[in-house]
Amino acid sequence: MLSKDTDTHQHSMSGAEKAFPCGEEFNDDCQRRPQNPTPAEEFRKIEEYHPILASTGCSSRFCQSGRMIHIDEPRVGKDHPLHQIDAEALSFLEQMKRDNGFSSETDFQNRVKEVLKEVNRSKNTLTLAPEHKALKAVNTELAGDVSSRSWVQTAQELEYGVRLAWKHSRKCIMRSQYKNLRLCDLRHIKTSAEMGKALVQRLKEAFNGGDILPTVFVFPAREAGKSGPMIWNQQLLAFAGYTREDGSVLGDPVNASLTASIMELGWKPPEFRTKWDILPLVTMAEEDGPVITDIPKDDFPLVHIRHPRHGLAFEKLGLRWVPAPALSQLGFDIGGVQYTASPFIGWFMDAEIGVRDLADVGRYNVLPDVVKALYPDELHRPLEQLRECERLNLLCRAQTELNFAVFHSFSQAGVRMSDTLTASSNYCQFDDDHLKRYGFRLPADPYWLAPPQGSIIPIWHRGGSPHYQPKPMICRHRENPVKAWKRRQIGYDRPSQGSFGPVRKSTVPADGPCDAAAKPKVLVYHCTTGTIAVKLANAVYGSLRQYFLQCQQKFRILRPQPLSSLNLFKLSPDDVVIIIASSTGRGEVPPDGQSIIDRLRKSNPAAARFAVFGNGDSSYPDTFNGAARMLHDSFRNAGCRPLNDSYVEGDNAKESPPWNRLDAWSKSLPQQIQNPRPYSNGIYKSVVSKRSPPVHYQDIIRSYSRLRLESCTVNRGHLRKVQLSTRAHSYSAMDYLQVLPPNEPEVVRQVLRALRKKGHDRILALSGMKYYDFLKELAELKRPFRDMEWTGQLSDEGVDIKVLAKQPVIDVLRALPSGWQRNVEPDDVLLSMPVLTPRTFSIASIPDDSEKAGMRCKLELLVQAKRSGQFSERYLDSAKAGDFLRCRVRRGTELRKLCNKETGSIVAFITGSGLAPMQSLLRFRAQKIRQFQESGDISLYERQISLFIGFHSEDSALIHEGIDEAVTSGLIDMLCLMPSNELQARVQDKVFEPGTRERIEAKIRNGAHVFVCANKAAATDVTKNLSAILGCDDLQQVLGEKYIQDTFSPAPR
């Protein structure tokens, strides 16, 4: 479009014509160009044709061609002496006459007399301040006479002026379209509110449903000594930029300051903030305050950036852009008349978006994400760690594909756009024609004119174009409208240039009375592969933030982030690091925490203070809070200073999540953070014990009841339905069942033989429990002993305890010398064995309300078959009805929220055995519908579920068994079933299908919960897909408690 004189690049207006020829055709075209005149001859012709030239900011000693914005180039908003206005008005009318703007010489002479008379009639003589008397002698611009109103141009004159100003715009490549520029004359509008209303209405007309009509909207001209009407926005259609507490920006960073100012003015952003929120207009008429006007998003639909060959990859990026450029902080200087509010709309050139707006590091910086999406196999290490040549290769290819996707998307959306080659070809032809006709070239600023693709674009090779600035012209405003308004608000009006008074500077710092960046930071991190630690971290953040805001303390609390984002080198000794850590697998540290441990070993960070809260499960005593322990030790060994309560263990076996434990600890944190000296409040122990706590088998026996196995389906599918019998009302919908997977009978018999015990022998320490039952139902026989203290009763001959301590129980007992049983108490051996690791399954059934307490009821599981899995295959393959399993119910605290009456509609993504909790929820809601049908309460029908299920084809029968009743009951408003397939299409990617995308986005924006029960990779993909659709960085973090995720990993072998 016209020159985009902000901080980016030129805008375009061109139809999609044949691209500029390349190769031999390009060389032939170069030979056909008109011969350039000598520089002296060309400059002479320019001065003859344009007797009045504005400054370009360059001098004989200082060239500004390398600057994007020249420091002293002309601007509107500055008063000019009367003789200058006379000369510019006369020059403008002469140009109009030269271009046949007057029907006769008489009409021209009469109009000149009218204009000069009007200018001089409205003149105003200014009295210079004494300190400026000497200045007047050396600066002719400081003459005493100025025109207070200048002169009023006719609509014909104004239209000619704006078109000519565009032709003279040395920064714009699309000037060949200047004769098509339409004028929307709004000079009759005098108030801010009317400005906003008219602008939105006329902008819609010019947008014309995508078939854009290039139009300039001109508001009243500026009067001498005043600022003139202004528009706060740099672009009428632009995205908000929300600055977060950590300094990052959600949205467009170039608009971060403007967004903050509009919010200060009273604008309330959408409750659901995204990267793609359109900013409202802020218009400010002369002598009127700023007014906010919302832009209807349906009038200017965003263009989703898609790629014809990389469809899914670009869908997952979730890119989009506004449909048209509409610059609004540039003005027009026409015949001495200044128009300070004259926005204009045109259409984009592809590179403006694909190479700059979306790709620039200071803007959306999407190229690294495009590289990851398109070339994952070539990223053998992180992009920033590749050799420069490799990184450049990937970035260039990504940039090319992104730019192509932009042009393709605008074409598919029916929105006008010019490609770079066409725009360059049109300009080259326009410039050559101008040279043939007038003997000199158009004014050109190569910094702006050359498209960012470089030498493959023809205009790159055009040298020797003169750098000059005729009038009429387009230029920037000398005042920032936001700063101008803020000066008025604090009672400071900058003196107009015409008064020549001293310029005072505000004493208020730009960032407020204190520098927030200098405050010590409290950084909260979560280390997890699930969601509970994230919720706990958010709770700690909320508690600390509320406390420090109320107390106005010196600490700055930063929002929770993954632990992998911690920059050790930016820590200061005054900072405090709070970590909420969950363990994975057998107590391992999640990947984001392991990367920090590795970095701590190699670096010496500042001695910041720290504390770790472990989110573990004592059902796994050997590995209870193993990740939290390792992180605590790593920070302490690296020289960081622990808070007094620097290590606290939460136990999901007692409370899931461990809110009470966390709340008590988080309440003590502010005092610990403010007081750097260690203190003891008697609540927790700060010393971290490296030895695992002893196993209390009596507690395990009490916790795990013996449930009877009723049936187990055996099929060729990946899911197996297991039915157990339990007491009625012993569980609720969406609870979990923890199962101790029994040992194989043959292994149990081998241990009994090694111990020289019978299966019916009793263990006195465990209330007479049988040896066989203990070894089958409680002891883990394929892992090492928990401790080897019982071996102290053995002779050392032939026994290497250190070697035996690393071997499985069954191998140790086989390796001991003959007769060892005479020297050792068998019960001591048993109680030193590790306990079986429980397997946790979601319960697929719900208790029947008709069953009475104490009666037996069915409990159903869906178990994912794992090759050589101890429970899913080894046990279930040989299990018989009537067998007993040690089990206990674990409350599904988070999942149960989906059963609340207040929970509205749900968008659910399920894979594999994740069907179990979903089936439980569907059955629960179907049960409630049956209960309320007689009462006429149909509110449940309004809380429908959109269900996406990915499964193995062999499990189709189980899938339909689990959802058919819900489908019949009308509980499901959208159902997508994705069986396994050769194309490896994933169910979570179905959200990008036309129609589905819009429905899902609308449901979530209207308050729907999101429920994800899948493996970790699929769950992560779901979050990324939904975040792309909604336009946010992390939908899970945005939705908070409305995003419920339950991930599962492959069952332990």
Side-chain angles (χ1 to χ4, degrees):
M1 185 186 148
L2 308 182
S3 61
K4 186 175 181 180
D5 204 356
T6 53
D7 67 338
T8 48
H9 41 280
Q10 68 275 1
H11 280 297
S12 313
M13 292 184 182
S14 171
E17 301 176 10
K18 184 178 180 181
F20 193 89
C22 299
E24 295 181 359
E25 295 181 4
F26 174 73
N27 294 330
D28 292 343
D29 185 80
C30 292
Q31 295 172 6
R32 291 195 299 268
R33 290 178 186 170
Q35 293 297 317
N36 286 326
T38 64
E41 181 182 0
E42 187 170 26
F43 291 151
R44 179 183 59 79
K45 291 182 178 180
I46 290 172
E47 289 181 330
E48 289 177 356
Y49 196 83
H50 299 291
I52 296 180
L53 292 173
S55 170
T56 61
C58 296
S59 67
S60 59
R61 299 180 62 188
F62 178 41
C63 176
Q64 299 195 56
S65 60
R67 289 181 179 270
M68 180 177 288
I69 300 172
H70 297 184
I71 57 176
D72 56 352
E73 62 186 23
R75 299 177 180 236
V76 294
K78 179 179 179 181
D79 291 341
H80 296 302
L82 189 61
H83 70 84
Q84 180 178 337
I85 297 175
D86 283 345
E88 290 187 9
L90 180 58
S91 175
F92 171 72
L93 293 174
E94 287 175 342
Q95 291 182 74
M96 190 171 176
K97 171 192 172 185
R98 188 169 55 204
D99 290 336
N100 301 317
F102 292 95
S103 58
S104 66
E105 178 66 24
T106 302
D107 289 343
F108 167 70
Q109 294 295 338
N110 290 338
R111 182 55 178 157
V112 169
K113 291 178 181 179
E114 291 175 1
V115 169
L116 296 179
K117 183 177 180 182
E118 184 177 358
V119 171
N120 285 274
R121 185 172 60 242
S122 60
K123 74 177 182 179
N124 181 29
T125 301
L126 301 176
T127 303
L128 293 177
E131 60 268 27
H132 292 126
K133 292 288 186 181
L135 189 61
K136 178 179 178 181
V138 296
N139 192 339
T140 58
E141 287 194 5
L142 299 182
D145 292 339
V146 299
S147 175
S148 61
R149 282 194 309 107
S150 193
W151 57 287
V152 179
Q153 294 162 344
T154 66
Q156 180 187 5
E157 291 166 345
L158 181 57
E159 182 180 66
Y160 172 77
V162 296
R163 289 177 174 177
L164 196 59
W166 187 14
K167 178 185 177 184
H168 293 162
S169 181
R170 66 185 191 276
K171 301 177 180 180
C172 182
I173 195 175
M174 287 314 305
R175 285 173 275 170
S176 61
Q177 300 291 316
Y178 78 99
K179 292 183 179 179
N180 298 324
L181 183 62
R182 298 165 66 247
L183 169 67
C184 181
D185 193 344
L186 302 174
R187 288 179 290 175
H188 58 284
I189 291 179
K190 304 298 182 183
T191 68
S192 301
E194 289 176 332
M195 284 179 68
K197 181 179 179 181
L199 200 47
V200 170
Q201 178 183 348
R202 300 303 178 88
L203 189 67
K204 179 182 178 181
E205 295 171 1
F207 180 63
N208 195 30
D211 188 14
I212 302 167
L213 306 173
T215 305
V216 58
F217 312 93
V218 180
F219 290 97
R222 170 185 176 270
E223 297 182 8
K226 298 181 180 180
S227 297
M230 289 189 285
I231 298 170
W232 284 25
N233 312 65
Q234 291 184 353
Q235 293 260 7
L236 300 182
L237 301 176
F239 298 119
Y242 306 107
T243 303
R244 301 185 179 103
E245 293 184 4
D246 62 358
S248 63
V249 176
L250 174 66
D252 196 340
V254 78
N255 292 322
S257 177
L258 175 63
T259 302
S261 297
I262 298 178
M263 290 172 66
E264 290 177 12
L265 192 62
W267 178 57
K268 296 188 180 301
E271 182 177 354
F272 192 99
R273 299 184 186 183
T274 75
K275 303 175 185 177
W276 318 109
D277 293 341
I278 295 292
L279 279 171
L281 294 182
V282 179
T283 48
M284 191 165 66
E286 185 64 71
E287 299 181 352
D288 195 1
V291 169
I292 297 173
T293 305
D294 288 323
I295 298 176
K297 61 180 182 180
D298 293 338
D299 291 347
F300 307 95
L302 302 183
V303 177
H304 290 261
I305 308 303
R306 299 181 170 97
H307 198 291
R309 297 188 302 275
H310 305 288
L312 183 58
F314 268 81
E315 290 284 7
K316 287 175 173 287
L317 291 171
L319 305 178
R320 58 204 79 175
W321 204 254
V322 295
L327 296 170
S328 47
Q329 273 196 7
L330 297 181
F332 285 81
D333 189 345
I334 303 172
V337 181
Q338 299 177 22
Y339 298 97
T340 54
S342 48
F344 36 86
I345 181 176
W347 56 80
F348 280 115
M349 184 174 73
D350 53 6
E352 298 179 68
I353 304 170
V355 182
R356 299 301 309 276
D357 294 334
L358 285 174
D360 278 356
V361 174
R363 300 293 295 283
Y364 278 82
N365 192 27
V366 304
L367 284 186
D369 294 329
V370 177
V371 170
K372 293 175 185 176
L374 300 188
Y375 315 113
D377 296 337
E378 299 184 46
L379 286 173
H380 49 87
R381 62 179 62 183
L383 181 64
E384 61 274 10
Q385 296 180 13
L386 295 177
R387 291 186 303 161
E388 294 302 311
C389 59
E390 293 179 289
R391 191 158 63 94
L392 180 61
N393 172 266
L394 290 172
L395 289 173
C396 288
R397 288 157 59 193
Q399 184 183 79
T400 300
E401 296 297 346
L402 176 60
N403 197 62
F404 177 72
V406 168
F407 188 83
H408 166 79
S409 301
F410 272 72
S411 299
Q412 293 296 111
V415 179
R416 207 169 182 188
M417 169 176 274
S418 175
D419 67 89
T420 307
L421 284 172
T422 299
S424 177
S425 175
N426 289 343
Y427 176 79
C428 291
Q429 185 61 52
F430 180 53
D431 190 34
D432 288 344
D433 291 345
H434 190 276
L435 176 59
K436 289 179 182 179
R437 181 174 181 181
Y438 299 105
F440 59 92
R441 295 193 177 276
L442 292 163
D445 187 336
Y447 188 104
W448 290 80
L449 281 183
Q453 290 96 328
S455 61
I456 61 175
I457 307 301
I459 197 174
W460 177 271
H461 304 279
R462 297 175 72 87
S465 295
H467 188 199
Y468 63 100
Q469 181 58 67
K471 285 194 173 185
M473 64 180 294
I474 299 172
C475 51
R476 297 162 61 87
H477 199 293
R478 71 188 296 259
E479 284 190 294
N480 179 292
V482 179
K483 293 180 179 179
W485 167 248
K486 289 183 177 181
R487 280 195 296 269
R488 294 185 207 172
Q489 290 302 100
I490 61 174
Y492 165 66
D493 286 319
R494 182 174 180 175
S496 65
Q497 188 273 340
S499 67
F500 308 115
V503 178
R504 295 173 289 157
K505 293 184 178 180
S506 172
T507 59
V508 180
D511 295 326
C514 64
D515 184 7
K519 291 184 177 181
K521 302 183 293 294
V522 178
L523 305 102
V524 182
Y525 293 97
H526 46 78
C527 175
T528 180
T529 58
T531 59
I532 293 181
V534 178
K535 297 178 185 295
L536 298 177
N538 287 330
V540 171
Y541 164 76
S543 174
L544 292 175
R545 185 171 184 271
Q546 182 179 10
Y547 177 86
F548 285 114
L549 284 177
Q550 291 175 349
C551 299
Q552 297 183 346
Q553 295 295 325
K554 62 180 181 178
F555 290 92
R556 185 160 59 104
I557 316 297
L558 301 186
R559 288 187 179 277
Q561 299 290 332
L563 184 56
S564 57
S565 65
L566 171 59
N567 190 329
L568 296 172
F569 298 103
K570 289 188 176 181
L571 290 177
S572 74
D574 294 328
D575 292 339
V576 179
V577 177
I578 307 294
I579 301 170
I580 313 297
S582 295
S583 301
T584 62
R586 297 187 180 276
E588 292 94 349
V589 180
D592 57 345
Q594 188 60 52
S595 66
I596 287 293
I597 291 177
D598 295 340
R599 279 185 269 164
L600 286 169
R601 292 171 181 156
K602 302 174 183 178
S603 61
N604 294 311
R609 293 179 293 152
F610 76 98
V612 181
F613 183 92
N615 175 52
D617 189 332
S618 60
S619 301
Y620 306 84
D622 294 345
T623 59
F624 181 44
N625 278 312
R629 292 169 181 270
M630 291 182 65
L631 285 167
H632 184 278
D633 288 350
S634 297
F635 273 88
R636 187 173 56 181
N637 294 337
C640 296
R641 298 168 294 152
L643 297 180
N644 186 55
D645 296 332
S646 63
Y647 175 74
V648 180
E649 293 184 334
D651 189 355
N652 279 269
K654 297 178 180 178
E655 181 189 18
S656 180
W659 291 118
N660 290 328
R661 183 76 161 167
L662 182 86
D663 290 343
W665 178 65
S666 60
K667 288 177 182 177
S668 71
L669 282 178
Q671 185 177 356
Q672 298 182 61
I673 291 172
Q674 294 175 83
N675 181 7
R677 296 179 180 178
Y679 75 101
S680 177
N681 57 16
I683 300 179
Y684 306 100
K685 295 180 179 179
S686 298
V687 178
V688 180
S689 173
K690 294 186 178 180
R691 177 174 172 173
S692 301
V695 173
H696 299 292
Y697 276 107
Q698 290 285 13
D699 294 338
I700 294 175
I701 293 171
R702 284 192 295 267
S703 300
Y704 285 84
S705 304
R706 301 184 80 206
L707 302 188
R708 176 186 169 90
L709 177 65
E710 297 294 336
S711 66
C712 174
T713 59
V714 179
N715 55 36
R716 62 191 184 92
H718 288 69
L719 291 179
R720 309 182 73 167
K721 183 168 71 172
V722 178
Q723 286 190 336
L724 305 168
S725 63
T726 182
R727 290 178 293 104
H729 310 298
S730 60
Y731 73 97
S732 301
M734 305 196 80
D735 277 347
Y736 300 97
L737 187 72
Q738 290 187 311
V739 180
L740 298 180
N743 288 302
E744 299 168 44
E746 179 57 32
V747 176
V748 173
R749 286 191 287 268
Q750 291 178 20
V751 174
L752 286 171
R753 286 195 293 269
L755 293 171
R756 294 185 178 179
K757 286 290 183 178
K758 303 293 184 182
H760 55 76
D761 288 344
R762 304 282 179 169
I763 306 172
L764 298 180
L766 296 178
S767 304
M769 185 178 188
K770 294 180 180 180
Y771 264 71
Y772 184 88
D773 292 342
F774 176 88
L775 292 173
K776 181 180 180 182
E777 299 175 2
L778 295 178
E780 174 61 82
L781 305 178
K782 296 185 178 181
R783 288 167 49 201
F785 278 94
R786 289 178 48 78
D787 65 64
M788 302 295 287
E789 292 181 4
W790 59 273
T791 60
Q793 305 170 45
L794 298 173
S795 63
D796 294 337
E797 183 178 351
V799 177
D800 189 337
I801 302 300
K802 291 184 179 180
V803 173
L804 294 179
K806 299 178 182 179
Q807 296 181 2
V809 168
I810 183 67
D811 293 344
V812 171
L813 297 180
R814 289 171 179 163
L816 292 176
S818 176
W820 67 270
Q821 299 89 345
R822 293 190 297 269
N823 301 320
V824 178
E825 176 58 47
D827 286 10
D828 291 343
V829 179
L830 262 63
L831 296 180
S832 296
M833 293 180 181
V835 70
L836 281 167
T837 301
R839 311 298 193 257
T840 302
F841 303 97
S842 293
I843 300 175
S845 56
I846 61 171
D848 191 336
D849 286 347
S850 64
E851 295 171 338
K852 297 180 181 179
M855 294 179 59
R856 308 299 292 179
C857 71
K858 297 287 180 65
L859 183 152
E860 186 176 310
L861 304 176
L862 292 178
V863 179
Q864 184 89 32
K866 298 294 181 183
R867 183 176 300 174
S868 301
Q870 184 170 338
F871 180 74
S872 63
E873 283 204 1
R874 289 178 182 173
Y875 173 73
L876 292 180
D877 278 350
S878 60
K880 299 178 182 179
D883 287 351
F884 286 91
L885 293 169
R886 289 277 178 178
C887 308
R888 74 171 180 182
V889 173
R890 199 184 90 190
R891 302 302 177 192
T893 308
E894 288 296 305
L895 300 189
R896 281 188 184 183
K897 294 177 182 178
L898 296 173
C899 299
N900 293 342
K901 188 176 181 180
E902 296 77 17
T903 301
S905 59
I906 299 172
V907 178
F909 295 84
I910 308 299
T911 63
S913 60
L915 176 66
M918 191 71 243
Q919 181 175 304
S920 179
L921 175 62
L922 293 174
R923 290 177 174 178
F924 175 82
R925 287 201 169 187
Q927 183 185 76
K928 292 302 179 184
I929 285 180
R930 291 194 297 270
Q931 291 175 356
F932 290 113
Q933 275 179 337
E934 295 181 1
S935 65
D937 185 352
I938 62 172
S939 58
L940 277 172
Y941 287 99
E942 300 172 358
R943 301 199 289 273
Q944 292 178 310
I945 298 175
S946 299
L947 185 55
F948 296 77
I949 305 179
F951 59 96
H952 289 276
S953 303
E954 299 86 350
D955 297 322
S956 295
L958 278 177
I959 298 298
H960 285 283
E961 180 183 331
I963 66 174
D964 282 352
E965 181 185 9
V967 174
T968 304
S969 302
L971 280 173
I972 299 177
D973 63 352
M974 190 187 314
L975 177 63
C976 177
L977 301 178
M978 175 62 74
S980 53
N981 55 87
E982 294 181 356
L983 297 177
Q984 297 187 342
R986 300 290 182 249
V987 67
Q988 60 266 25
D989 296 333
K990 301 294 285 186
V991 295
F992 295 116
E993 290 189 348
T996 301
R997 176 188 188 124
E998 291 74 18
R999 292 175 66 183
I1000 293 300
E1001 180 178 1
K1003 286 192 71 169
I1004 296 176
R1005 287 188 182 277
N1006 290 331
H1009 282 62
V1010 173
F1011 174 48
V1012 182
C1013 190
N1015 60 63
K1016 181 61 180 177
T1020 300
D1021 212 22
V1022 168
T1023 304
K1024 290 181 178 178
N1025 288 356
L1026 294 181
S1027 299
I1029 289 175
L1030 274 295
C1032 55
D1033 286 339
D1034 186 347
L1035 183 65
Q1036 185 174 349
Q1037 186 173 3
V1038 172
L1039 291 184
E1041 293 186 355
K1042 283 193 172 184
Y1043 196 110
I1044 298 176
Q1045 180 173 297
D1046 193 18
T1047 57
F1048 52 83
S1049 302
R1053 295 288 190 258

